[in-house]
Amino acid sequence: MTVTAYTLAVLLDLFCVFLGYRFLFQPGPAAAGYGVPADPAGDARAYLSIKGLRDGTFGLLGLALLAFAGARAEALFMLCVALVPLGDTLNVLRNGGTKAVAFGIHFATAVVVLISAGLLFAV
């Protein structure tokens, strides 16, 4: 179970780093994949950059916690970070996105993050 817990945590952290990169360097496609398209050439550019920085920072912080503070610290971090995809679920639903994206991507991500936290607590 230890290998599974650590592997899932690292994959989730690296995924956050990837999402951050994508929102910073490919904001249009990233926004469309998020479920609420935005024009990176317009006023949305700042918000897309903020999302990229947020996601990338979460990923790097998660990796640092896992490497230097241990599984329990990462588990607590994952519990807190699970609020982000839950909020993203609501954001997509409130701004014209589809239920499929809201629940199939964002809510499902929150569930996986909570499973990761549970596995890390069990280590």
Side-chain angles (χ1 to χ4, degrees):
M1 180 160 35
T2 300
V3 172
T4 302
Y6 276 82
T7 300
L8 183 57
V10 168
L11 288 175
L12 287 170
D13 291 336
L14 289 174
F15 186 64
C16 283
V17 171
F18 167 75
L19 288 175
Y21 169 85
R22 191 158 184 238
F23 269 92
L24 288 172
F25 296 103
Q26 299 172 334
Y34 176 83
V36 182
D39 181 10
D43 292 340
R45 184 172 188 84
Y47 296 105
L48 296 172
S49 295
I50 290 167
K51 172 140 175 52
L53 289 171
R54 177 193 77 176
D55 290 350
T57 300
F58 282 161
L60 293 174
L61 179 58
L63 291 169
L65 284 171
L66 197 57
F68 300 110
R72 184 168 175 77
E74 177 78 358
L76 290 167
F77 173 72
M78 291 281 190
L79 279 179
C80 295
V81 169
L83 293 173
V84 173
L86 289 173
D88 289 345
T89 301
L90 295 175
N91 191 30
V92 170
L93 291 172
R94 292 177 67 196
N95 290 287
T98 67
K99 289 182 181 182
V101 170
F103 293 106
I105 295 173
H106 300 292
F107 188 80
T109 299
V111 170
V112 172
V113 170
L114 291 172
I115 290 169
S116 179
L119 290 171
L120 289 165
F121 276 124
V123 170

